[in-house]
Structures are given as C-alpha cells and as structure tokens.
Amino acid sequence: MSYSNKVKTNFTLILGILLVISMGYNLFMHQKYKNVIIHDQENGEARLGLISDYGINLADNLEQFIKHASGSEDNETKSKLDSFWRIVLGDNKSIILSIGPTSPLFLEDRAPKWGLLSYSFFRIDGVITNLNLLFLEKGSYALTDEDKEKLEAVISVFRKIHNEMDKAKYPELIIDSLTEEMMIIDPLYGKTLERINSH
C-alpha cells in the first residue's frame, strides 16, 4: 500500500472514530438535557402540590377565622381567633418558602403563567402580613368589609388551586381562572396582566 493510500485510510479511520464519539456525546447530552427537564418538571409539580396542601389548610382556617371575627371578642372567641390566625400565618409562610426558583426549561410558553402564579402568592402574602400588623397595632381582630372581601378572595384562590391540582396537566395554568380573585386582592393586578400579555 502506498504512503498516500495509508494516510487516506488512517484519516478515514480517525474521521469515523470522531464521528462515533460525536454521535455518542450528542446522545448523552440529549439524554442529560431530557433528564434535567423531567427533574425540573417534577420539582415544579411537587412544589405546587405542597402549596396546594398548605393552601387548603389555610383556606379552612381562614374561613373559620372570618366566621368568628364577625362576632364579639370574648376570651373564648379571642383564643379561637388567635389559634386560627396563627395557623393562617404558618401556612402562608410555608407557601412562600415552597415557591422556590423554577427553571424555564420545561415551561416554554407557560413560563409567564408560573411567574404570574408566584407573583400572586406574594401579593396574598402581602395582604396577610399587612392585616397581621394591623391586628397587632389595634389589639383586635376586627375586620372591615374590604378586609373580609380580600380574605374571602384568598380562600377562593386556594380552594380553586386545590380542586384543580389533580385534574390539570399543567397546574400552573390555574392562574387563568384566578383573575377575578386577584383583582380584589391586588388593585394593580390588572396592570400586571397587561404588561405580561404585551410581551
């Protein structure tokens, strides 16, 4: 075999080996990327599952809180209100801690929905935190009509999320059915929606 033929044969062999290595690497990276997406999706769904569980407990206790806050605050009622409100505060904190960062890898065009859902939880947190400060300042759990309306909207949000969690393929899309409640909870929600929809 001539020198030039030997060089061509070696070059073809090296090229073939490099091609096999390249294909193997691409398959490996594709599988790794797929595993990352599946992992992120499972994490996102698990976080929403936790939020749903905390949220339904918050809604149940908030419902009882509103019911008892509309009467006189004798010692027994005050004790019940303290208990209901402490649970609401605890579940609300757990919800905020459960949001966590979510990678947009698996969300694709649903990424804005998750962002809006996360934003909504923070706005609910704002309502509950502000009310808590007000209760501490007044030394009373008395609610105005506006406070009551906002808390009832919070209850509705978490009941809807809980009811949809097992049905929806993409639970974050539940945000589309929460607009009415969020407009009550957050006066700026409409403008937030406009900004998101304009992009």
Side-chain angles (χ1 to χ4, degrees):
M1 182 184 291
S2 68
Y3 177 75
S4 61
N5 286 340
K6 191 180 288 186
V7 169
K8 283 181 183 178
T9 302
N10 289 341
F11 179 75
T12 304
L13 182 63
I14 291 169
L15 197 62
I17 291 169
L18 288 174
L19 187 61
V20 169
I21 290 171
S22 175
M23 288 174 63
Y25 179 76
N26 284 338
L27 284 170
F28 169 75
M29 290 307 293
H30 175 75
Q31 188 60 42
K32 186 177 179 182
Y33 179 76
K34 186 178 177 183
N35 289 340
V36 167
I37 291 174
I38 292 169
H39 181 68
D40 280 355
Q41 187 170 10
E42 288 172 350
N43 278 349
E45 288 172 358
R47 279 197 291 272
L48 270 179
L50 279 174
I51 289 169
S52 172
D53 291 341
Y54 289 129
I56 195 64
N57 195 53
L58 184 152
D60 289 341
N61 281 277
L62 197 49
E63 200 166 60
Q64 289 300 315
F65 176 83
I66 293 170
K67 179 182 172 184
H68 286 80
S70 57
S72 61
E73 287 191 24
D74 54 50
N75 288 339
E76 185 182 349
T77 303
K78 180 78 162 51
S79 176
K80 286 181 180 178
L81 287 168
D82 284 339
S83 178
F84 292 135
W85 189 246
R86 271 197 302 272
I87 294 170
V88 167
L89 290 176
D91 285 330
N92 178 61
K93 184 177 181 181
S94 296
I95 287 166
I96 295 302
L97 292 173
S98 297
I99 294 172
T102 297
S103 168
L105 283 173
F106 76 89
L107 291 172
E108 298 173 346
D109 58 342
R110 302 190 315 279
K113 301 293 185 183
W114 176 265
L116 191 57
L117 189 58
S118 298
Y119 167 84
S120 300
F121 293 137
F122 282 112
R123 298 312 299 152
I124 288 171
D125 173 62
V127 167
I128 291 173
T129 300
N130 289 338
L131 266 179
N132 189 54
L133 293 172
L134 190 64
F135 293 155
L136 291 171
E137 184 183 317
K138 293 190 306 182
S140 166
Y141 288 115
L143 294 171
T144 65
D145 289 341
E146 184 182 351
D147 295 335
K148 187 177 178 183
E149 184 182 27
K150 285 186 176 183
L151 292 180
E152 285 172 344
V154 170
I155 291 169
S156 179
V157 164
F158 287 118
R159 291 211 184 286
K160 280 187 176 181
I161 290 172
H162 186 74
N163 290 338
E164 289 298 317
M165 265 306 295
D166 294 330
K167 303 178 197 171
K169 182 178 180 182
Y170 302 118
E172 63 273 9
L173 298 182
I174 184 65
I175 190 62
D176 291 334
S177 68
L178 303 178
T179 302
E180 184 180 344
E181 289 87 347
M182 288 310 304
M183 295 282 273
I184 295 169
I185 292 165
D186 176 20
L188 300 176
Y189 192 78
K191 290 184 178 178
T192 304
L193 270 181
E194 284 175 18
R195 282 199 298 271
I196 290 174
N197 293 332
S198 66
H199 287 87

